[in-house]
């Protein structure tokens, strides 16, 4: 055998072995099944309606009986479940033990409650409605019962087994809520509620909020539609202005200008010049070499704001992606929860950095006023908007910690918000109501940021990297 | 004037948009194929490993749909381009420069087969796109429609079974898988062979990546277009240089 042939044969075998090992590693996770009744009794085939109905009949053996009851705080609560409850239910073909996963055992009692997430796992941390209600158990909203309660020991909102007069009630009817009705939200979101909800039913975040927050890919409030509309007009204006210029001797045809311009970009990407472009991206755009050359304090101010925004955008976008790819992963469930220590700490730290940058910049522009700093109106507008957005965010967080009664050991990670919450808790100004207005102020400020983006100084966020990329050779 | 010299050397066949779309379709196709087959053959160890590597069935399902949306957006872009070509650039959809089939292609096909059977001396004077290039394009274009229809059935089975009988979902499952196999076989056997592994262009036809082609290729493979660009009765452009 020739040595070269031999080498390649060995290489092929090694690769094949690697693939086989990996394939075997992918196999086999031990079957987990420990419900005690099913240790001996035959498990029905839950993949077929017959199995589900037969499994359900087993439960109905007792629970159909009108005498079936539970003892709750020394009073009897009916646990009679009528089959007709499920006649029109979306869970018509779901067995009892598929939701009540830990009841098939002795003593016959559930510790974990109903497990919606085993099936509805995509929903769990989805932004828009669900991630915002992360500590609220599904059934609190989705079961048609007007009584909910805040369990401070577990920091979760759940369905109450008693009514407002603390008389035990039965939840055996299994009635799901019509989510299109207003009562769906106003059950909790009223003034002076006891579960820590804001008094107002607030709209969902918009996709433009992804710059700082984990938010859904939807328009949200019409406010943002207006802001994006204004921004789009500005962007069209800028593009229109740009394409008035000549492109390689072509003065009139926009089609030809596009053709020539895109050709240049294509030929740059697929040539050795891409390395110079990457270098520009790294040094000039990411590390901001040019600002550093202008002065260290300038670079610090700009970096405090730029890197914080950049990091927040990166994290919220990453969370969004992760939620789609692995909705029940441990990392996902940590990142979608804004009270988890990492996210809270991260958000407060970046927020403090942005505020510090804005204040430092303001001190330089309006108090110390070095000769080389020329301040225009648009600088003031940009700084004020960014500063106010961040500051209102901290106020919002402070109010949220107060009204939601988030336990101290959890709230401490959000150190800025926690400090403010201590301040706010001194006086009760009706924070549950104020929260809603504050939310709209925060959203309005961000909408202003978006609308103002193409008109004033803020457009440098896009134009400066672009012009750096286009002029990278003129160093 | 700089443009003029370029025009004598190279000929532009594909715009940046078309090149970019081709690249995106390559990536999308590989992605959709890998995720799709790893779901279809979920009992096979390498498929399981791949699924495990990507983070589980949910993740693979999501990626499969993501790639599907990307690919279909490419189709939509092509349709928009069609309108742009027709109404803004004033192009002729059934002219010699168009990707659409026309009657002439039948004659070209007959003549080309005749040439391959040595019944004719020369291949026909193909225009901008030969009939097999058109077939390549339209096979994928039409395949994308049925693929996405059956794919939508599987994506939103609850919605479609509101007004269609349930067995349509089963049929969609079979068709989606079968056409997936067909598409992969088509791309890797026919498209790559015809497009890139022909002796004339082996190991690859870079025109779709660079957008340009040489004068020699133009004269050889697209003589019809070459003639329309150089309507000189006195001789070819080679003599002028």
């Amino acid at each position: 055998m020739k040595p070269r042939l031999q080498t390649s044969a060995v290489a092929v075998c090694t690769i094949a072995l690697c693939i086989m090992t990996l394939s075997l590693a992918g196999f086999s996770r031990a079957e987990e099944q420990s419900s005690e009744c099913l240790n001996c009794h035959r498990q029905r085939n839950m993949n077929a309606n017959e199995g589900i109905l037969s499994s359900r009949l087993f439960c109905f053996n007792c629970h159909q009986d009108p005498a079936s009851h539970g003892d709750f705080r020394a009073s009897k609560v009916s646990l009679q479940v009528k089959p007709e409850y499920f006649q029109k239910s979306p869970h018509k073909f779901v067995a009892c033990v598929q939701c009540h996963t830990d009841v098939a055992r002795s003593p016959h009692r559930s510790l974990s409650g109903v497990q919606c997430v085993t099936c509805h796992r995509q929903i769990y941390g989805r932004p828009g409605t669900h991630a915002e209600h992360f500590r609220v158990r599904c059934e609190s909203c989705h079961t048609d019962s007007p009584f909910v309660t805040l369990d401070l020991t577990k920091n979760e909102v759940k369905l109450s087994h008693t009514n407002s007069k603390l008389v035990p009630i039965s939840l055996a009817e299994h009635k799901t809520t019509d989510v299109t009705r207003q009562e769906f939200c106003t059950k909790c979101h009223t003034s002076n509620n006891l579960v820590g909800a804001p008094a107002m039913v607030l709209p969902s975040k918009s996709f433009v909020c992804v710059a700082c927050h984990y938010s859904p890919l939807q328009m949200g409030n019409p406010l943002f539609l207006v802001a994006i509309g204004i921004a789009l007009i500005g962007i069209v204006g800028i593009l229109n202005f740009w394409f008035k210029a000549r492109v390689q001797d072509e003065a009139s045809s926009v089609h030809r200008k596009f053709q020539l311009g895109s050709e240049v970009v294509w030929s740059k990407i697929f040539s050795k010049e891409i390395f110079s472009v990457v270098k520009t991206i790294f040094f000039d755009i990411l590390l901001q070499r040019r600002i550093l050359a202008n002065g260290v304090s300038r670079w610090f101010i700009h970096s405090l704001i730029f890197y914080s925004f950049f990091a927040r955008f990166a994290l919220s976008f990453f969370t969004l992606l992760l939620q789609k790819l692995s909705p029940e992963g441990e990392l996902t469930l940590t990142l979608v929860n804004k009270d988890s220590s990492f996210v809270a700490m991260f958000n407060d730290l970046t927020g403090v950095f942005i505020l510090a940058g804005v204040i430092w910049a303001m001190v330089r522009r309006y108090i110390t006023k070095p000769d080389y700093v020329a301040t225009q109106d648009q600088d003031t507008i940009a700084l004020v908007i960014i500063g106010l957005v961040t500051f209102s965010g901290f106020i919002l967080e402070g109010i949220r910690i107060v009204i939601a009664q988030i336990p101290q050991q959890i709230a401490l990670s959000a150190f800025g918000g926690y400090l403010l919450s201590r301040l706010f808790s001194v006086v009760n100004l009706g924070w549950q109501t104020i929260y809603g207005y504050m939310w709209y102020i925060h959203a309005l400020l961000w909408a202003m940021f978006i609308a103002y983006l193409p008109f004033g100084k803020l457009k440098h966020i896009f134009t400066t990297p672009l012009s750096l990329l286009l002029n990278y050779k003129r160093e | 004037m700089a443009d003029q010299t370029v025009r004598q050397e190279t000929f532009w066949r594909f715009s940046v948009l078309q090149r970019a779309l081709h690249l995106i379709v390559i990536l999308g196709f590989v992605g959709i194929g890998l995720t799709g087959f790893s779901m279809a053959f979920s009992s096979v160890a390498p498929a399981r490993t791949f699924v495990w590597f990507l983070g589980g069935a949910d993740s693979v399902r999501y990626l499969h749909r993501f790639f599907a949306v990307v690919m279909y957006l490419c189709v939509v872009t092509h349709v928009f381009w069609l309108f742009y070509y027709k109404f803004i650039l004033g192009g002729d959809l059934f002219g010699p420069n168009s990707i659409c089939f026309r009657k002439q292609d039948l004659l070209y096909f007959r003549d080309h087969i005749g040439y391959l059977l040595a019944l004719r001396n020369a291949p026909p004077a193909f225009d901008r796109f030969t009939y097999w290039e058109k077939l390549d394009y339209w096979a994928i274009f039409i395949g994308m429609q049925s693929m996405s229809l059956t794919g939508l059935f599987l994506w939103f089975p609850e919605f479609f079974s509101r007004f269609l009988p349930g067995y349509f979902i089963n049929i969609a499952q079979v068709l989606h898988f079968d056409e997936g196999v067909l598409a992969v076989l088509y791309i890797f056997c026919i498209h790559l062979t015809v497009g890139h592994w022909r002796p004339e262009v082996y190991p690859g036809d870079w025109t779709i990546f660079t957008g340009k082609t040489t004068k020699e290729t133009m004269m050889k493979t697209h003589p019809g277009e070459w003639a329309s660009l150089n309507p000189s009765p006195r001789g070819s452009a080679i003599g002028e240089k």
Side-chain angles (χ1 to χ4, degrees):
Chain A
M1 202 185 261
K2 286 177 188 169
R4 231 175 103 190
L5 206 63
Q6 201 174 7
T7 322
S8 41
V10 168
V12 167
C13 288
T14 317
I15 292 168
L17 260 176
C18 287
I19 292 172
M20 277 164 66
T21 321
L22 273 174
S23 316
L24 286 171
F27 258 137
S28 75
R29 227 169 284 154
E31 289 284 315
E32 38 191 32
Q33 188 59 265
S34 60
S35 303
E36 288 170 24
C37 297
L38 299 173
N39 281 355
C40 306
H41 288 282
R42 192 170 65 88
Q43 166 75 290
R44 275 93 174 160
N45 175 12
M46 294 298 196
N47 296 318
N49 286 347
E50 289 85 349
I52 283 166
L53 293 177
S54 114
S55 162
R56 189 190 282 173
L57 273 181
F58 182 71
C59 304
F60 278 147
N61 252 348
C62 302
H63 280 281
Q64 217 173 347
D65 186 354
S68 152
H69 70 274
D71 297 315
F72 187 77
R73 292 193 193 151
S75 53
K76 280 185 179 179
V77 180
S78 167
L79 289 179
Q80 185 198 3
V81 183
K82 294 179 185 160
E84 56 261 34
Y85 291 157
F86 294 96
Q87 226 38 266
K88 284 183 179 170
S89 159
H91 299 126
K92 189 157 63 171
F93 294 113
V94 180
C96 308
V97 291
Q98 282 177 313
C99 306
H100 301 278
T101 48
D102 63 345
V103 291
R105 64 196 185 122
S106 173
H108 182 46
R109 180 168 295 146
S110 171
L111 293 177
S112 61
V114 65
Q115 296 297 315
C116 306
V117 186
T118 39
C119 300
H120 300 279
R121 46 205 170 150
Q122 312 280 352
I123 296 285
Y124 203 33
R126 194 180 279 178
T129 319
H130 291 93
E132 287 76 358
H133 293 86
F134 198 74
R135 63 172 192 160
V136 181
R137 286 185 61 91
C138 313
E139 66 270 18
S140 328
C141 302
H142 288 285
T143 299
D144 202 2
S145 162
F147 307 109
V148 279
T149 176
L150 170 61
D151 182 353
L152 277 176
T153 52
K154 283 187 183 167
N155 191 30
E156 67 178 16
V157 175
K158 57 185 189 184
L159 218 49
S160 178
H161 286 279
T162 56
N163 66 11
S164 50
K165 288 170 190 148
L166 296 180
V167 178
I169 51 168
S170 167
L171 296 169
E173 209 179 332
H174 287 86
K175 198 172 169 193
T176 48
T177 318
D178 178 4
V179 291
T180 55
R181 283 168 64 214
Q182 183 72 12
E183 290 93 88
F184 174 58
C185 304
T186 52
K187 178 157 92 175
C188 299
H189 291 272
T190 52
S191 20
N192 301 322
N193 65 75
L194 296 171
V195 288
M200 226 182 260
V201 179
L202 292 165
S204 114
K205 287 195 198 79
S206 164
F207 73 93
V208 291
C209 307
V210 85
C212 291
H213 300 287
Y214 170 57
S215 31
L217 294 175
Q218 63 192 43
M219 188 52 84
N221 197 278
L223 188 73
F224 295 111
L225 190 67
V226 175
I228 291 165
I230 296 172
L232 276 181
I233 293 171
I235 291 168
V236 168
I238 290 175
L239 288 180
N240 195 25
F241 175 71
W242 284 354
F243 277 95
K244 273 192 184 138
R246 283 170 167 275
V247 179
Q248 293 179 15
D249 299 331
E250 178 62 46
S252 56
S253 161
V254 179
H255 175 80
R256 184 99 182 100
K257 282 180 196 173
F258 256 111
Q259 214 173 10
L260 292 167
S262 57
E263 198 59 60
V264 171
V265 174
W266 186 272
S267 62
K268 291 267 188 294
I269 292 176
F270 295 98
S271 70
K272 274 182 193 160
E273 286 182 64
I274 188 68
F275 294 112
S276 331
V277 175
V278 169
K279 209 173 98 188
T280 310
I281 290 176
F282 186 72
F283 285 110
D284 293 331
I285 297 174
L286 285 180
L287 294 186
Q288 321 225 307
R289 185 166 56 170
R290 280 154 200 255
I291 301 180
L292 190 62
N294 281 334
V296 178
S297 58
R298 260 189 206 199
W299 184 85
F300 257 109
I301 292 173
H302 193 260
S303 296
L304 278 172
I305 300 172
F306 165 70
Y307 287 127
S308 302
F309 265 109
F310 189 79
R312 291 191 73 133
F313 170 72
L315 183 73
S316 40
F317 194 78
F318 176 69
T319 311
L320 199 62
L321 201 69
L322 207 62
Q323 203 278 325
K324 297 284 181 205
L325 291 183
S326 159
E328 49 187 336
E330 210 172 313
L331 184 60
T332 318
L333 294 183
T334 309
L335 290 182
V336 298
N337 178 10
K338 57 184 161 192
D339 281 331
S340 71
S341 53
F342 169 72
V343 177
M345 182 80 88
F346 178 87
N347 282 346
D348 272 41
L349 211 58
T350 47
V352 165
F353 285 161
I354 295 173
L355 269 187
V358 169
I359 290 168
W360 190 352
M362 281 187 163
V363 166
R364 264 162 53 96
R365 282 197 185 280
Y366 310 112
I367 298 172
T368 60
K369 287 187 188 168
D371 295 337
Y372 52 88
V373 178
T375 305
Q376 292 173 318
D377 282 347
Q378 49 171 339
D379 298 320
T380 314
I381 296 175
L383 276 179
V384 166
I385 290 183
I386 295 176
L388 283 181
V389 162
T390 320
F391 188 60
S392 61
F394 272 113
I395 293 182
L396 264 179
E397 193 178 36
I399 301 179
R400 188 172 67 84
I401 293 173
V402 172
I403 61 174
Q405 302 167 46
I406 294 170
Q408 192 188 25
Q409 70 270 23
I410 295 174
L412 261 176
S413 308
F415 53 91
Y418 180 70
L419 271 180
L420 285 173
S421 79
R422 297 300 301 189
L423 200 67
F424 295 149
S425 61
V426 175
V427 274
N428 188 6
L429 296 175
W431 296 116
Q432 285 190 345
T433 318
I434 293 175
Y435 184 86
Y437 294 109
M438 205 61 219
W439 191 93
Y440 274 107
I441 290 172
H442 184 67
L444 185 72
L445 282 165
W446 186 249
M448 278 164 64
F449 182 98
I450 297 288
Y452 182 62
L453 208 50
F455 295 102
K457 190 179 185 180
L458 292 173
K459 74 174 173 218
H460 81 274
I461 297 170
F462 300 105
T463 52
T464 309
L466 203 60
S467 70
L468 281 174
L469 278 179
L470 294 177
N471 301 325
Y472 69 92
K473 266 198 169 157
R474 293 185 210 153
E475 274 181 37
Chain B
M1 283 295 106
D3 257 6
Q4 210 111 53
T5 48
V6 169
R7 234 170 250 158
Q8 278 187 358
E9 298 285 304
T10 54
F11 290 84
W12 295 102
R13 274 179 68 72
F14 297 109
S15 70
V16 171
L17 177 77
Q18 289 157 343
R19 280 173 252 164
L21 279 177
H22 185 251
L23 270 189
I24 296 170
V25 167
I26 291 179
L27 295 178
F29 189 83
V30 170
I32 210 167
L34 282 176
T35 51
F37 283 134
S38 63
M39 285 190 288
F41 296 104
S42 55
S43 57
V44 182
R48 284 172 154 232
T49 309
F50 186 68
V51 170
W52 166 81
F53 181 71
L54 289 181
D58 280 334
S59 184
V60 173
R61 208 171 291 140
Y62 183 81
L63 285 173
H64 189 73
R65 286 164 188 172
F66 172 79
F67 286 126
V69 170
V70 168
M71 297 257 288
Y72 204 76
L73 283 181
C74 291
V75 173
V76 171
T77 315
H78 269 231
V79 174
F80 274 119
W81 167 258
L82 202 91
F83 283 108
Y84 182 77
Y85 177 74
K86 168 101 178 120
F87 294 108
I88 301 202
L89 295 184
D92 184 2
L93 277 186
F94 296 98
N97 281 340
S98 167
I99 191 82
C100 297
F101 278 110
R102 54 200 203 116
K103 218 168 70 186
Q104 187 70 36
D105 285 313
L106 279 178
L107 305 180
Y108 284 153
F109 176 68
R110 186 198 63 194
D111 293 353
H112 193 224
I113 295 295
Y115 168 68
L116 293 177
L117 296 175
L119 301 174
R120 296 174 65 93
N121 290 330
F126 289 117
D127 293 322
R128 188 173 180 79
F129 297 109
T130 60
Y131 68 85
W132 66 84
E133 284 167 339
K134 291 183 182 186
L135 192 73
D136 231 17
Y137 177 85
W138 285 106
I140 299 299
F141 191 94
I142 293 168
M144 279 297 293
Q145 311 310 319
S146 57
M147 213 52 192
S148 44
L149 188 70
T150 50
L152 281 176
F153 275 31
L154 299 173
W155 192 347
F156 306 105
E158 297 97 340
F159 172 76
F160 283 101
S161 45
R162 272 185 210 163
F163 47 86
L164 290 173
Y167 57 77
F168 267 66
I169 311 298
N170 302 59
I171 293 176
Q173 205 154 21
V174 174
L175 289 185
H176 197 76
F177 172 74
D178 287 2
E179 207 187 329
V181 176
L182 181 71
V184 168
L185 286 180
Y186 185 87
I187 292 294
F188 283 99
C189 298
I190 299 180
H191 174 72
L192 281 189
T193 312
V194 170
H196 297 289
W197 296 340
R198 272 180 299 125
E200 292 93 327
V201 291
Y202 184 86
D205 190 352
W206 307 121
T207 310
I208 189 67
F209 300 103
T210 60
K212 51 196 171 189
T213 188
T214 58
K215 191 159 65 181
E216 287 74 17
T217 320
M218 278 298 279
M219 292 170 70
K220 213 162 118 190
T221 37
H222 306 284
E225 191 189 4
W226 170 256
S228 72
L229 288 172
N230 301 276
S232 161
R234 274 168 273 125
S236 72
I238 304 167
E240 289 167 26
K241 199 177 173 186

